[in-house]
Amino acid sequence: MSDKSSNPPGLPAAALGHAPDADALFAMAEAAFETMPAVFKPHLKGVVIAIEEFADDETLKSLDIEHPYDLTGLYEGRPLTERSIDASGGMPDRVTLYRIPILVEWIEGGEKLDWLVRHVLIHEIGHHFGFSDDDMHALEDMA
């Protein structure tokens, strides 16, 4: 039996057959967040990034999603395009990445995990800006 302390330095846990934990995914999400174009960064202040294992049943039901593996990320908040100057005092905007569905997509799709985390994060941030899917693809290409 091995533990994390027996991993060779610099070798990711996934290379040894261990799924990256929530802290590892959060670090990837933070790194991706930092690559956002400077023009967008002032509008991202206060956006909270969270990692959860799966979406809860209530969230899945509200989105009409039957299986928890089908939701890799979620934006919660009011898009900038729908805000009023009078609106204030609400909960902070939040992007949640769901670890297990992301890992399943990573295994099934063969993309690099940091790329996939970045992809999901940028898609959800796109909702914060009120972007269409085409706009989100352009944003991802810029980041």
Side-chain angles (χ1 to χ4, degrees), residues 63-131:
L63 297 169
D64 200 27
I65 296 174
E66 293 184 22
H67 199 282
Y69 288 101
D70 293 336
L71 185 62
T72 55
L74 179 67
Y75 167 73
E76 296 171 281
R78 177 171 281 162
L80 295 177
T81 55
E82 297 177 12
R83 293 186 185 180
S84 164
I85 194 155
D86 297 330
S88 66
M91 295 296 291
D93 293 281
R94 176 181 166 112
V95 170
T96 304
L97 304 180
Y98 297 109
R99 188 178 82 89
I100 301 298
I102 288 173
L103 293 176
V104 168
E105 188 171 326
W106 170 53
I107 291 165
E108 291 177 350
E111 294 94 357
K112 289 181 62 179
L113 183 56
D114 59 340
W115 179 91
L116 183 57
V117 168
R118 180 178 175 273
H119 174 77
V120 173
L121 179 75
I122 289 174
H123 181 89
E124 299 311 326
I125 286 173
H127 290 302
H128 172 70
F129 286 101
F131 289 163

Side-chain angles (χ1 to χ4, degrees), residues 23-44:
D23 290 339
L25 255 63
F26 185 78
M28 289 179 208
E30 280 188 314
F33 195 81
E34 292 303 315
T35 69
M36 296 299 294
V39 68
F40 294 112
K41 286 187 179 183
H43 306 288
L44 294 171

Side-chain angles (χ1 to χ4, degrees), residues 35-63:
T35 69
M36 296 299 294
V39 68
F40 294 112
K41 286 187 179 183
H43 306 288
L44 294 171
K45 288 185 179 174
V47 173
V48 175
I49 298 172
I51 307 294
E52 294 181 12
E53 295 297 292
F54 288 104
D56 61 33
D57 291 338
E58 182 180 321
T59 300
L60 294 170
K61 186 176 180 179
S62 73
L63 297 169

